[in-house]
Amino acid sequence: MKRYQQLLILPAIAFSFMACMQSTKTDKANTETTTTKQQQPVLSLTDTSLKKVAKTDAQWKKVLSDNQYYILRKQGTERPFQNEFNDNHKKGNYFCAACKLPLFSSKTKFNSGTGWPSFYAPINNNRVKEVVDKSLGMVRGEIVCARCDGHIGHLFDDGPNPTGLRYCMNSGAMLFQESK
C-alpha cells in the first residue's frame, strides 16, 4: 500500500512544482511588462510647467542613457548624419529627453543639410533658453531646455523664413512622439 501511495504522491508533487514554476514565469513576465511600461516616458503636450527640475549628477546618470547624459548634462554633440532624428519625416513633437518638456514640432522642422535635426522655431519661445557658448574658439548661441537646463543644441541665423533661425538640435537630447 505504501508503494501505491508514493506513486500517487509523486505526480501530485511534480504537478505542484510545475504549477509553481509556471506561476513564477507569469509573475516574472508581468514584472517585466510593468517595468517596461514604467520605463516608457510619459510625453504630454500639456506638460508645459517651467518649474525648474534640479537633480544631482548622480540622479541624472540614473535616469538618462549614457548618450543622453553626455549631450544634455556635459554639453556633448552627436555625430552629424548618424543620429536618430535627422531624417525623421514623421509628423509629431519633440520633447526634452531629460524632463519631457515639449520643445519642437515637426511643423517647423526642415532639412538643413547639416546632419542634425533642425527647426526654425520652438513650439513656444519660453521652452528654450539661449546662452552664450564660447567653446571651440567661436561665440554662438547654445540652446538649453528652459525647465532642466539640459543642453539641446545650438542656434544659428541661417535658417528659412519666417524666422531666419536654425535651431540645430541633438537627437540624443530629445524624444519623439508621433502624432495620430
Side-chain angles (χ1 to χ4, degrees):
M1 184 72 169
K2 267 188 167 180
R3 196 174 262 316
Y4 179 70
Q5 287 174 334
Q6 287 174 343
L7 290 175
L8 290 175
I9 292 175
L10 284 175
I13 292 172
F15 179 75
S16 295
F17 178 75
M18 289 187 320
C20 183
M21 290 303 290
Q22 184 61 37
S23 174
T24 302
K25 285 181 184 176
T26 302
D27 290 345
K28 186 177 178 182
N30 287 341
T31 300
E32 288 173 359
T33 301
T34 301
T35 302
T36 303
K37 286 180 184 175
Q38 288 173 347
Q39 290 173 350
Q40 295 296 321
V42 177
L43 303 175
S44 171
L45 289 174
T46 61
D47 180 14
T48 59
S49 167
L50 295 178
K51 183 179 177 188
K52 284 293 182 193
V53 173
K55 296 183 181 189
T56 66
D57 211 39
Q59 290 171 320
W60 282 123
K61 283 184 177 181
K62 284 182 181 179
V63 297
L64 299 173
S65 71
D66 290 343
N67 188 49
Q68 289 170 335
Y69 178 80
Y70 167 71
I71 294 168
L72 286 157
R73 307 318 306 170
K74 296 299 178 188
Q75 289 74 35
T77 298
E78 62 199 2
R79 297 176 70 167
F81 302 102
Q82 298 177 15
N83 54 73
E84 186 176 4
F85 301 131
N86 180 51
D87 285 327
N88 183 18
H89 301 289
K90 296 176 184 173
K91 291 182 181 180
N93 295 288
Y94 296 83
F95 297 76
C96 174
C99 70
K100 316 306 182 265
L101 181 67
L103 300 173
F104 295 95
S105 167
S106 61
K107 293 174 185 173
T108 63
K109 188 173 187 286
F110 69 98
N111 183 0
S112 66
T114 62
W116 289 280
S118 297
F119 305 84
Y120 61 79
I123 290 175
N124 189 309
N125 288 332
N126 71 353
R127 310 277 175 91
V128 296
K129 294 188 310 187
E130 182 180 5
V131 295
V132 176
D133 178 0
K134 295 181 181 179
S135 66
L136 303 175
M138 64 177 109
V139 178
R140 57 190 174 161
E142 175 188 5
I143 297 299
V144 299
C145 173
R147 185 158 65 188
C148 70
D149 292 325
H151 169 78
I152 307 165
H154 289 93
L155 180 62
F156 301 94
D157 62 1
D158 60 359
N161 288 328
T163 65
L165 299 174
R166 174 171 51 97
Y167 289 82
C168 188
M169 303 294 101
N170 288 287
S171 293
M174 300 184 296
L175 301 172
F176 178 73
Q177 183 177 57
E178 190 171 0
S179 298
K180 295 177 182 178

